[in-house]
Each structure stands twice: as structure tokens, then as C-alpha cells.
Amino acid sequence: MKVLVTGGLGFIGSHTVCELLDANYEVVVIDDLSNSSIDVVDKIKEITGKDFVFYQFDVCNEEKLDEVFSKENIDSVIHFAAYKAVGESVAKPLMYYENNLLTTITLCKVMLKHGVFKFVFSSSATVYGSPKTLPIKEDFLLSTTNPYGTTKLMNEKILEDVCVANDNFSVIILRYFNPIGAHSSGLIGENPTGIPNNLMPYIVRVADGELKELSVFGNDYDTPDGTGVRDYIHVVDLAKGHIKALEKAANTKGTRFYNLGTGHGYSVLDLVETFKRVNNVDVPYKIVGRRPGDIAACYADPTKAYEELGWKATLGIEEMCKDSYNFILKQKNK
Ligand code: UD1
């Protein structure tokens, strides 16, 4: 089985490529390096001891994509390539709609032309907007609060329509909760450029002294300690979910949706305190006002993924904190 992974050098993509190679899939990666580094190619090979094919270009380039499908005998596609910064999407909506929709549309056109019908899509819990009840199930009402989230929801709709129009098409849509952690080798992980927007990348930079203190966005939410609650999931567990999704796509037709989360909610302060304890390091923080657009709490009901994909998260919050820090320390000492 040969799998095309778009965005395969990014945070979730690179971990998924490792899991695919470990599971003896042949892998072809396309990545334009717009938010990833070429070093990741060698890191993946070092981790897995296996080789894969890499092409550097933008997936919106239909001609080049067509060449890859003509040359490689691709059986299925996992599509990660997308822009993902919420704040940037508010400032540059057209850039987000153009890139995040055109990548999927171009992929689908070329897949249909070459008779490739198995598609796994990287979606997000952001499509649930501000949920009325918790935990979140896949059949909850969908809504979004920013252009990034809207591109995820629009992609889901596009893929559903493609399935309706093409009986052979099979799409598995994975809605991720909050991926953190890193590969246990410390060789790959999340390393955003500039000042991080997301919580864990910010915490690790405070812990290693690069940033002075964490700003905790609000302690007056209706949650046990007043800070925001999220379902943090280890990126390696998330990556494994893609292997299960591919297996499902191989045996089904139509569109299916799955939450990939642990089912447990942790507050900002839970995460900070666990991080400090397991890494034996200080993380100074101050409480500031709420961040616009944030919700109080969000965590998954992951039952459907367990029942239908046979997937379940196994790594806990302590491993997530340890592996996130280990990755940054290794980066610094390389
Ligand atoms: C956001 C996106 C989500 C995306 C995810 C990527 C929305 C509304 N959210 O999720 O789609 O998939 O990033 O991981 O579209 N916090 C602080 N201080 C900080 C940073 C964050 O207190 O410096 C708090 C936030 O208020 C929140 C929690 O930490 O309660 C998690 O925030 P973050 O890591 O940014 O993720 P989300 O906003 O949940």
C-alpha cells in the first residue's frame, strides 16, 4: 500500500509518516516547506530506519500533482497540508480560503482522474464552535468562529459532496482536539517560528528561559479553577489514529467523521503544574484577561473512534509534558 501524505513534514504529518513507515506502508510526501523544515526528512528516516519519497511543491500545483500520481502508484491520501494559525486567518482570510480550499479541491480532482478513492482529512474540533454541552460528540451542531475554522468546515462539506457524486470515494474526517507532545526520540516535534500562539509551545519556551512568563488567558471561566479546559492529546496517539482511519477507508465508502481526543479535559493551570512537576522546571505565569474567541471548555467523546476504528489514546498528560520539553531541549543541544 502506497500512501501520499501532503504536509508530511509538519507537526502531525511527520509523526504520522513515522507511524506509516513503522506499519510498513510505502510513503510519498509532498510538502512546500512553508511551515516545516527539510531536516525533518532525515529525522524521520533516522527514527524509522526506513526510506520514503519526498517532493517539495505546493499541492495547489495541479500539473505537478498530476505528475506525482502518474509516476507513483498511490492507493490512498492523507491530507494535512494547510495553514493553521487562527489569528493569521482573521487578518488574512483570503490567503486561508485560497490555500486551504484549493489544496483539497486540486487533490480531489487529480485523485478522481487517477482512480484513487481513499482520503483521510485532517479536520479540527474547531468545527464544533462553542459547544452547548460536553463531552462533544460527532453529531453536534457545527459552527465556526474564525476563517481557519471555516476552511475546515468547508473542506468537510466539499469532501462530503465529492463522496455523494462519486460512489467509489471514501473519506474519513478526523477532528483533532489539542495535539501536543512529541516523538519520544526528541527528534521531531512542534517548533513554531516567532512567538507561539498555542499553549504548549509557549510553556516550553518559558520553561527554557526564552520567554519570560506565560500569560494565562482568563481565570473567570465556569471551569473548576476558572482557566480554560481542553482535551490535550499526544501527537503520537493522534498519528496512530490515521493508520486506523486508512484501514477504515480501505473497507468503506462514503464520508465518516471521528473525534480524536482523550475524553479528558485539563485546565491551563493543570497543564502548567503537571509540566513543572514532571520536568522539574519552573514556569512563571500571570493571569491576564480572556483571549477573544476562546471558549471555556472543550473535550471529546472519543467513543465512536474506539468502536468503529478500534482507536483509543493511550498516552497521558505527563508523557505529553515530558515529550514536549524533551524535544525543545534536544533542539537546543543539537
Ligand atoms: C486553537 C484553535 C484550534 C486549533 C488549535 C491548534 C480555535 C478556537 N482554536 O485551539 O482550532 O486546532 O489551536 O492546537 O480555533 N492559553 C493561555 N495562554 C497562552 C495560550 C493559550 O492561557 O499563551 C489558553 C487558551 O486560552 C486556552 C488553552 O490555553 O484555554 C489552549 O489554547 P491553544 O493552545 O491556543 O488552543 P485552542 O485555542 O484550544
Side-chain angles (χ1 to χ4, degrees), residues 86 124 126 145-146 148 177-179 197-199 202 214-217 228 230 232 268 291 293-294:
V86 173
S124 164
T126 194
T145 52
N146 56 68
Y148 157 76
F177 282 68
N178 288 55
N197 298 308
N198 297 117
L199 181 58
Y202 207 104
L214 170 74
S215 295
V216 174
F217 298 140
R230 297 289 183 275
Y232 297 97
V268 175
R291 181 172 64 177
D294 272 354

Side-chain angles (χ1 to χ4, degrees), residues 3-20 27-32 34-36 44 57-59 76-85 96 99-101 103-104 107 111 119-124 148 151-152 155 159 172-176 179 235-243 245-246 260:
V3 185
L4 170 64
V5 184
T6 74
L9 302 187
F11 176 43
I12 306 172
S14 58
H15 289 83
T16 301
V17 171
C18 287
E19 293 303 320
L20 286 166
V27 176
V28 175
V29 167
I30 303 175
D31 195 304
D32 67 357
S34 59
N35 192 22
S36 57
I44 294 172
F57 67 88
D58 178 346
V59 179
S76 38
V77 174
I78 306 181
H79 177 35
F80 293 105
Y83 296 151
K84 61 171 189 178
Y96 270 69
N99 184 65
N100 289 6
L101 299 184
T103 44
T104 305
L107 259 176
M111 285 174 71
F119 196 112
V120 176
F121 180 66
S122 167
S123 191
S124 164
Y148 157 76
T151 68
K152 289 294 178 193
N155 267 302
L159 291 168
I172 306 293
I173 289 173
L174 301 176
R175 293 176 178 153
Y176 313 146
V235 65
V236 171
D237 271 333
L238 197 66
K240 290 182 198 291
H242 293 74
I243 312 295
L246 271 186
L260 295 188

Side-chain angles (χ1 to χ4, degrees), residues 144-261:
T144 58
T145 52
N146 56 68
Y148 157 76
T150 310
T151 68
K152 289 294 178 193
L153 190 51
M154 289 169 87
N155 267 302
E156 291 195 359
K157 295 284 173 214
I158 290 168
L159 291 168
E160 264 190 290
D161 289 344
V162 172
C163 275
V164 170
N166 297 278
D167 289 345
N168 289 323
F169 224 73
S170 171
V171 175
I172 306 293
I173 289 173
L174 301 176
R175 293 176 178 153
Y176 313 146
F177 282 68
N178 288 55
I180 58 170
H183 193 269
S184 57
S185 64
L187 291 173
I188 54 172
E190 188 173 25
N191 199 4
T193 46
I195 296 183
N197 298 308
N198 297 117
L199 181 58
M200 184 54 96
Y202 207 104
I203 290 178
V204 294
R205 289 192 192 187
V206 172
D208 80 0
E210 211 181 299
L211 293 168
K212 192 169 136 258
E213 62 187 354
L214 170 74
S215 295
V216 174
F217 298 140
N219 66 349
D220 57 352
Y221 285 108
D222 184 15
T223 60
D225 66 15
T227 66
V229 166
R230 297 289 183 275
D231 186 340
Y232 297 97
I233 172 162
H234 198 295
V235 65
V236 171
D237 271 333
L238 197 66
K240 290 182 198 291
H242 293 74
I243 312 295
K244 298 291 187 184
L246 271 186
E247 290 166 6
K248 188 76 178 175
N251 302 315
T252 51
K253 287 179 181 151
T255 321
R256 286 175 170 73
F257 304 85
Y258 298 99
N259 285 342
L260 295 188

